[in-house]
Amino acid sequence: MGAFFLIVVGLVGLAAAVYGFSYSAAYHGRYSLRRLGALFNLLLLTLCLQVMADNAFTFLFLWEAMSLAAYGLVLTEADQEGAVRSAGWYVGVTHVGFAALMALFLLLAGGDLTASFQAMRGNAATLAATTRNVLFLLALVGFGSKAGVIPLHVWLPMAHPVAPSHVSALMSGVVIKMGVYGLVRVALDLLGGGPAWWGGVVLAVGAISALLGVLYALMEHDLKRLLAYHSVENIGIILIGVGAGLIFHSYAMPALAALGLIGGLYHTINHASFKGLLFLGAGAVLHATHTRNMEEMGGLIKRMPWTAAFFLVGAVA
C-alpha cells in the first residue's frame, strides 16, 4: 500500500514540479523563490517518506513536517487578502488532528512511540473492544482532518485559493490523500479491522462529504474554491469505497472487501490525476486573466486552446 501511495506522490509531484518552473517566474522580485522551492521540495520529501514510515515516532514526525511545509507554502503570497487567516485555519485544524493521532499512537504502542508497526499489530490484538473503538475514532478524527472530510473540511476552500496553483495541485492531489492512507493503514493494517459499524461510520462520513461537497461547489464562483470543494466531494467518494471494504471485512467477505478497497484506492489515483490537472489549468487561467471569479471569464477557449483542451479532459474525468 505504501508503494501505491508513493506512485500517487510521484505522479502529481512530478507534474507540479515541472509546471512550477514557469509558474513561479511571475514571483521573481515579489516573493522568495528560494523559500518556495525549499518548502516545495521538503513537502515532496516528507510525502515520500510518510508512506515508508514503519514506527510511530517516524510517522508522527513526518506528519508534522508535512503539515508545516504545506503551511509555509500556503503563506507564499502572505500579502494576499486572507492568506494569513487561511493558513491559520489550516494549521489549527491539522493540529487538532495531530493531537488525535498522538493519542492514537500512544495508546496503540503502549506508550512507546519508538515501537514498530509490527509491534503495534501484536499489541492491537490484545486490546479490549472498547479501547479498539476509541482508537478507530481517534484515527477517523486525526486522518479525517487531513483528508478534509465534513465537518473538518473548513481549511480546504480557504487554503487552496491563496496557495500557488502547483502547490494547490500537490495539496489537493496528494496531501489530503495522506488522510486516506493513514485511515486504511490504521483501521485495516494495524488494528486488523473491526466491527461493521466502523465501516458504516466511514461510509456515512464519505456519503455526507460527497453530497455536501458537490452542493458547496455548485454555489461557488471562485474557480480554485470550487475545485477545493470538489476535492471534499471526491474524498467522500473514496471513503465510500473504504467504508464498504471495512464492512465486508467485518463479515469475513474478503473478495467484496477487496473490491470496495480497490474502488476507493482507484479513485484515489484517479482524483489525484484529474484534480492535479484541473488546479494546474486553473493556475494558467489565473495568470492569463488575473482573476479567480468565473463570472468575469469568457471566450478563453480562443485565447488558451491548449489550456481549454486539458481542462476539459480534467473536467470530464
Side-chain angles (χ1 to χ4, degrees), residues 9-283:
V9 175
L11 185 70
V12 182
L14 177 62
V18 172
Y19 177 97
F21 278 109
S22 56
Y23 184 88
S24 303
Y27 291 166
H28 186 67
R30 297 169 58 210
Y31 308 107
S32 172
L33 292 181
R34 288 182 178 181
R35 177 180 176 276
L36 174 60
L39 287 173
F40 186 86
N41 281 285
L42 178 61
L43 181 58
L44 278 177
L45 176 65
T46 54
L47 286 167
C48 289
L49 295 177
Q50 184 74 66
V51 298
M52 301 182 196
D54 199 39
N55 66 70
F57 177 79
T58 306
F59 188 96
L60 290 170
F61 176 82
L62 291 168
W63 192 268
E64 179 69 357
M66 172 183 66
S67 300
L68 291 178
Y71 169 71
L73 287 167
V74 172
L75 279 175
T76 298
E77 301 177 45
D79 57 346
Q80 187 180 167
E81 184 181 355
V84 174
R85 180 171 176 268
S86 299
W89 268 97
Y90 166 71
V91 82
V93 172
T94 204
H95 277 94
V96 168
F98 184 76
L101 294 182
M102 180 71 79
L104 161 72
F105 281 107
L106 281 170
L107 288 170
L108 193 53
D112 180 14
L113 286 181
T114 62
S116 68
F117 282 179
Q118 186 61 39
M120 282 187 269
R121 291 182 190 103
N123 188 43
T126 66
L127 296 175
T130 302
T131 305
R132 288 169 57 84
N133 291 337
V134 170
L135 292 175
F136 164 73
L137 293 174
L138 286 171
L140 188 60
V141 172
F143 295 121
S145 65
K146 183 66 70 182
V149 299
I150 289 176
L152 301 172
H153 70 292
V154 290
W155 65 269
L156 260 85
M158 299 177 74
H160 283 312
V162 298
S165 294
H166 63 302
V167 172
S168 297
L170 193 60
M171 289 181 68
S172 190
V174 181
V175 172
I176 64 174
K177 304 303 189 309
M178 290 298 107
V180 177
Y181 168 76
L183 185 61
V184 175
R185 173 67 76 194
V186 170
L188 272 175
D189 181 18
L190 301 185
L191 291 176
W197 71 263
W198 286 15
V201 170
V202 172
L203 199 153
V205 168
I208 292 169
S209 297
L211 178 62
L212 294 184
V214 74
L215 290 177
Y216 279 124
L218 286 172
M219 296 185 291
E220 195 54 63
H221 301 293
D222 184 309
L223 178 57
K224 290 180 73 176
R225 277 175 65 89
L226 179 146
L227 294 177
Y229 277 125
H230 193 254
S231 290
V232 175
E233 176 208 354
N234 280 274
I235 283 291
I237 294 170
I238 292 167
L239 290 184
I240 288 172
V242 173
L246 285 169
I247 291 173
F248 288 127
H249 183 272
S250 71
Y251 287 116
M253 303 169 74
L256 290 174
L259 195 61
L261 191 61
I262 288 169
L265 293 180
Y266 166 72
H267 196 57
T268 296
I269 200 165
N270 180 44
H271 179 252
S273 301
F274 77 70
K275 186 52 61 69
L277 176 59
L278 287 171
F279 266 114
L280 299 184

